Amino acid sequence: MRRLVWQIFPSFLLLILLCLVAVSWFTSRSLREFHVERTAADLEARARLVAEQLRHFPVGTDAALDALSKQLGELTGTRITIVLDSGRVVGETSEDPARMESHAGRPEIAPALTGRVGTSIRFSRTLQKEMMYVAVPVASPVAGAVRAALPLDAIDLTLRELYLRMVLGGVGVAILAALISLAIARRISRPLEEMRLGAARFAAGAFDQRLAVGGSAELHALAEAMNRMAVELDARMRTVLLQRNEQEAVLASMVEGVLAVDAEERILRLNRAAADLLRVDPQQVQGRHIQEVIRKIDLQRFVARALASPLPVEGDIVLREQEEQRFLQAHGAPLRNAEGKEIGALVVLNDVTRLRRLETIRRDFVANVSHELKTPITAIKGFVETLQDGALESPEDARRFLAIIIRQADRLNAIVEDLLDLSRIEQYGEGNEIPLQLAPLDPILRGAIQATAIQAAAKEIRIEVDSPPGLQARIDPSLLEQAVINLVDNAVKYSDPGGRVRLEAEPAGDELLIRVRDWGCGIERQHLPRLFERFYRVDRARSRKQGGTGLGLAIVKHIAQAHGGRVSVQSTPGQGCVFVIHLPALRTLIQS
Ligand code: ADP
């Protein structure tokens, strides 16, 4: 595309040149005509002057006439010819008249001989030049005509000089006019160019820079209209942006994953929650096919189902990753545009893994509890039946069986008590704050030693304590004592007779640690992660034999959590274990 200035300027230039040529042509023609006329008048005057001179010459003095012609001709730079009535040439400036033919027939002489002024422009064979001739009649004493002539090239010479000046002037005018027209073209196109730049700025979103409202009325109106348009566009863009940001914020803060796909299963939108669930980068997957970027077959099938159905659909999706499985509950619905046309599908994903896990744990727990209760009940029932069937008759057997029954009943009791404890402590985890009080740790450790003294004495196990007397924490003393008792009890249970158990309390950074250390059988590494689960035992038979319920460590874990802390374990099989209750230190508690 040519620029506007290069469209206007050449037209201007052409117009100027045309005018110049036309004017020059017309002027040169008029000038030539004027010159010819002037020359003719001049020649006539000269001829008349010569004719006047002839009055003083009588007829028959041809030689004198010729001399006069030659003299006057040379004086005036004109060719003078004197012709008699008969047409015979008697005087001539540039020739010998005797050698000249009759001039009666010459176009200028013929009218002069009849008393009129004759004019002619033609080629003179005598002088071999284009000449202008003017002849006037002479009446007396010599009758005939006087002719004055000039070569036309004299006129042409004068004119040529004039033409040269005219051309030079014309070129000057043309250059000036070209410059002026260039300036005008620029003046017309510059505001347009500015407007183009302004429009480009608007297109780029810079609405704050308005167009200068100047120039002609049309441009002024255009600039104003464009400025108004910019203001309106700006306002609309702001609204759209605001709405988009709001939508973004709503989508981004949703806990549910939201995924929108078009009819070709290309991803239109994906919020942060969905990206986290599906482990993808929302920027990278936008606009791409779901099969290509999210390789989860369950999800792909669900999206296809949602797209195919005109009604909302529901389904469960299992995402399998290296180690864990995640369960998603998915809701799909058709996605419609403003006109209500279906353009794809919207899928909302809910992570229900935790719920599922809790369900599984509950189910397992019920099964475990039933199983744990069933064993002592079966035993009790069996021995009671044996007694009924006649064992009562043998007092020795009866006593033995009754002792077993009592042991099993105690076990039942222990399980039920532990379960009750556990459910009571678990309540604290579910939002009910446990009432904590500032209390020293030392009495708790000593209380735990007293509570386990009988079992320790039975196995001749020595229990050592190392706790600074001033150490305090915000605790529920009786609950914390129960946790420490459980740990010491285990340490005693799983230590060999004659061994020792060590109890320590100490501050460590942000935490207060209560350590229970033993040098017993220890625990294999693979059991450690599940050790604090309910009913988890390393060696079932041994635990039962020791009267364990499998709930002791679960209770410890929950008590630690109810205090805002946690529990950890380290063990080397054959060398013993260290169980640690981590409590938040006082200072952080006060700060929070
Ligand atoms: P239990 O009532 O069976 O002791 P716990 O929950 O207290 O149940 O303990 C779970 C399992 O952890 C026990 O069965 C035992 O195998 C193991 N365990 C706990 N404490 C120790 C310890 N100090 N030394 C070795 N093993 C232990």
Side-chain angles (χ1 to χ4, degrees):
M1 276 299 206
R2 269 193 304 157
R3 290 181 53 194
L4 186 66
V5 67
W6 298 123
Q7 289 185 346
I8 298 176
F9 176 58
S11 328
F12 267 34
L13 204 62
L14 193 71
L15 204 68
I16 290 163
L17 287 178
L18 270 176
C19 285
L20 263 177
V21 168
V23 168
S24 314
W25 181 76
F26 183 74
T27 321
S28 63
R29 273 199 57 140
S30 309
L31 260 176
R32 194 183 156 84
E33 263 170 35
F34 171 73
H35 255 273
V36 167
E37 267 168 34
R38 274 270 315 269
T39 314
D42 198 26
L43 284 176
E44 188 186 332
R46 290 181 200 185
R48 282 198 193 284
L49 280 174
V50 176
E52 204 45 47
Q53 296 276 316
L54 290 189
R55 282 178 194 264
H56 312 293
F57 289 82
V59 182
T61 51
D62 287 4
L65 288 179
D66 188 39
L68 181 75
S69 305
K70 285 196 164 52
Q71 185 197 0
L72 287 179
E74 253 151 49
L75 270 175
T76 56
T78 318
R79 181 181 165 202
I80 305 283
T81 314
I82 300 169
V83 183
L84 291 185
D85 239 355
S86 57
R88 190 167 65 87
V89 181
V90 286
E92 164 66 49
T93 310
S94 45
E95 195 53 55
D96 179 7
R99 292 202 301 188
M100 290 173 75
E101 56 182 353
S102 161
H103 269 43
R106 294 288 194 274
E108 71 280 356
I109 303 287
L113 290 180
T114 58
R116 283 178 289 129
V117 177
T119 310
S120 169
I121 294 171
R122 66 196 149 72
F123 191 76
S124 152
R125 246 169 294 137
T126 321
L127 292 178
Q128 294 294 314
K129 272 182 190 167
E130 180 92 3
M131 301 282 288
M132 182 177 207
Y133 302 93
V134 176
V136 296
V138 183
S140 66
V142 182
V146 173
R147 181 179 78 171
L150 267 177
L152 268 186
D153 53 6
I155 298 179
D156 284 338
L157 213 65
T158 329
L159 281 179
R160 202 168 299 146
E161 208 168 294
L162 266 173
Y163 287 162
L164 194 70
R165 275 197 224 157
M166 246 168 64
V167 167
L168 281 178
V171 167
V173 168
I175 289 174
L176 204 68
L179 287 177
I180 291 172
S181 66
L182 190 65
I184 292 175
R186 278 255 162 88
R187 252 187 80 156
I188 294 175
S189 68
R190 191 176 309 126
L192 282 175
E193 177 68 9
E194 270 170 20
M195 229 163 265
R196 186 188 69 77
L197 289 175
R201 278 202 304 274
F202 291 165
F207 294 113
D208 47 341
Q209 293 182 34
R210 291 286 130 79
L211 297 177
V213 202
S216 60
E218 289 87 345
L219 284 177
H220 179 93
L222 181 60
E224 272 194 339
M226 280 177 70
N227 280 341
R228 266 203 309 280
M229 182 189 78
V231 171
E232 247 166 61
L233 264 180
D234 194 17
R236 265 187 221 176
M237 294 273 281
R238 274 174 209 276
T239 321
V240 169
L241 215 66
L242 208 72
Q243 281 172 349
R244 210 193 62 185
N245 286 350
E246 275 171 14
Q247 277 178 6
E248 287 290 327
V250 169
L251 273 182
S253 46
M254 274 177 78
V255 185
E256 291 86 2
V258 178
L259 169 74
V261 292
D262 68 7
E264 271 82 48
E265 300 193 5
R266 267 192 301 263
I267 296 173
L268 297 173
R269 266 310 249 296
L270 182 88
N271 74 347
R272 171 87 357 242
D276 288 347
L277 273 178
L278 304 171
R279 308 244 196 280
V280 292
D281 181 347
Q283 255 86 46
Q284 274 181 6
V285 300
Q286 198 118 350
R288 296 176 61 185
H289 271 280
I290 190 163
Q291 284 92 342
E292 193 188 330
V293 287
I294 305 179
R295 297 179 184 275
K296 317 270 187 216
I297 192 81
D298 277 12
L299 181 73
Q300 292 173 5
R301 282 205 195 114
F302 183 80
V303 168
R305 193 150 72 87
L307 277 172
S309 158
L311 295 173
V313 290
E314 233 187 284
D316 292 324
I317 293 175
V318 183
L319 301 180
R320 289 173 190 85
E321 269 134 31
Q322 290 97 353
E323 283 149 31
E324 47 164 359
Q325 276 190 341
R326 275 178 314 131
F327 300 93
L328 306 185
Q329 201 175 44
H331 290 266
L335 191 67
R336 296 179 207 279
N337 65 6
E339 285 98 53
K341 206 176 144 254
E342 231 172 82
I343 54 162
L346 186 76
V347 174
V348 177
L349 302 169
N350 245 319
D351 190 354
V352 291
T353 313
R354 225 174 75 83
L355 266 171
R356 282 286 168 88
R357 212 168 273 158
L358 281 178
E359 268 169 29
T360 317
I361 288 173
R362 271 203 187 125
R363 234 189 350 253
D364 289 355
F365 180 62
V366 172
N368 281 335
V369 169
S370 316
H371 182 74
E372 291 293 331
L373 294 179
K374 207 164 174 277
T375 322
I377 289 173
T378 313
I380 291 171
K381 193 164 172 254
F383 285 110
V384 170
E385 275 169 2
T386 320
L387 285 175
Q388 264 184 345
D389 289 350
L392 265 179
E393 311 307 324
S394 152
E396 207 171 299
D397 280 350
R399 222 172 291 132
R400 198 158 54 86
F401 290 164
L402 280 176
I404 295 174
I405 288 171
I406 286 175
R407 220 173 46 235
Q408 292 298 339
D410 280 347
R411 190 167 143 67
L412 215 51
N413 193 36
I415 293 174
V416 172
E417 259 177 19
D418 275 358
L419 281 173
L420 284 175
D421 281 349
L422 201 58
S423 80
R424 190 162 52 88
I425 300 159
E426 259 185 334
Q427 278 177 2
Y428 293 127
E430 289 166 6
N432 302 330
E433 280 293 309
I434 173 172
L436 297 178
Q437 64 192 71
L438 196 61
L441 287 182
D442 191 49
I444 295 188
L445 303 192
R446 298 198 183 276
I449 292 171
Q450 270 172 19
T452 50
I454 297 171
Q455 289 97 309
K459 287 179 83 175
E460 294 183 348
I461 287 172
R462 191 157 41 91
I463 303 178
E464 301 164 0
V465 195
D466 177 9
S467 92
L471 214 54
Q472 287 192 325
R474 285 177 62 80
I475 51 173
D476 178 325
S478 71
L479 271 186
L480 190 64
E481 187 174 313
Q482 189 183 346
V484 180
I485 289 172
N486 283 7
L487 291 180
V488 177
D489 187 40
N490 276 349
V492 171
K493 264 197 281 185
Y494 298 101
S495 287
D496 295 327
R500 68 181 171 122
V501 168
R502 192 175 163 77
L503 253 163
E504 298 160 357
E506 66 167 12
D510 286 350
E511 293 180 326
L512 274 180
L513 307 183
I514 299 174
R515 260 194 222 102
V516 180
R517 194 187 293 268
D518 69 63
W519 285 265
C521 60
I523 303 163
E524 297 275 348
R525 194 183 175 76
Q526 76 264 25
H527 297 293
L528 295 180
R530 301 193 56 194
L531 205 62
F532 296 96
E533 285 177 18
R534 287 173 261 205
F535 296 118
Y536 189 83
R537 295 171 173 114
V538 176
D539 181 343
R540 234 158 236 284
R542 184 166 177 180
S543 161
R544 291 241 172 82
K545 210 169 83 208
Q546 304 273 9
T549 59
L551 292 169
L553 288 181
I555 291 174
V556 173
K557 182 179 92 173
H558 280 98
I559 291 177
Q561 285 175 351
H563 281 82
R566 64 191 170 95
V567 59
S568 69
V569 59
Q570 283 173 348
S571 176
T572 318
Q575 291 185 16
C577 322
V578 188
F579 283 87
V580 187
I581 297 175
H582 303 248
L583 296 176
L586 211 50
R587 129 171 69 96
T588 51
L589 267 176
I590 289 166
Q591 272 169 10
S592 66

